[in-house]
Amino acid sequence: MARHDFEPGRLVIGLVLLGGGLAYLAAADGRWHLPSYLLLPVLAGGFCLAGLVSSLTFSVRRRRARLTDRDGRPERLG
């Protein structure tokens, strides 16, 4: 099986959707009162957070790739 790169943005989006689903289920069961107008902004904020994490991950990986030479050794700075 081929190994895949770790994607922190996908982890964040999964946790946001899981939390939203659990909040909706808790409200439907009557254990927790969730205002209906609150869930959409929270999910949108979670999507924005996942996008930020994904862009940071991309920039860090691109910088690391630029700092390594063709042999896989880190390039000396200076």
Side-chain angles (χ1 to χ4, degrees), residues 13-30:
I13 202 75
L15 291 175
V16 165
L17 289 175
L18 184 64
L22 289 175
Y24 182 76
L25 286 175
D29 192 31

Side-chain angles (χ1 to χ4, degrees), residues 4-77:
H4 298 283
D5 290 337
F6 175 64
E7 297 289 337
R10 289 185 183 194
L11 175 66
V12 170
I13 202 75
L15 291 175
V16 165
L17 289 175
L18 184 64
L22 289 175
Y24 182 76
L25 286 175
D29 192 31
R31 296 182 184 191
W32 186 40
H33 176 68
L34 178 70
S36 61
Y37 60 87
L38 184 65
L39 188 59
L40 188 61
V42 169
L43 288 177
F47 289 150
C48 291
L49 178 65
L52 178 68
V53 168
S54 293
S55 64
L56 286 174
T57 303
F58 176 74
S59 64
V60 166
R61 287 183 181 168
R62 187 174 62 180
R63 183 169 187 263
R64 282 188 184 172
R66 199 174 350 148
L67 291 178
T68 58
D69 61 3
R70 294 182 185 203
D71 296 333
R73 293 177 297 185
E75 187 177 298
R76 293 189 64 147
L77 298 175

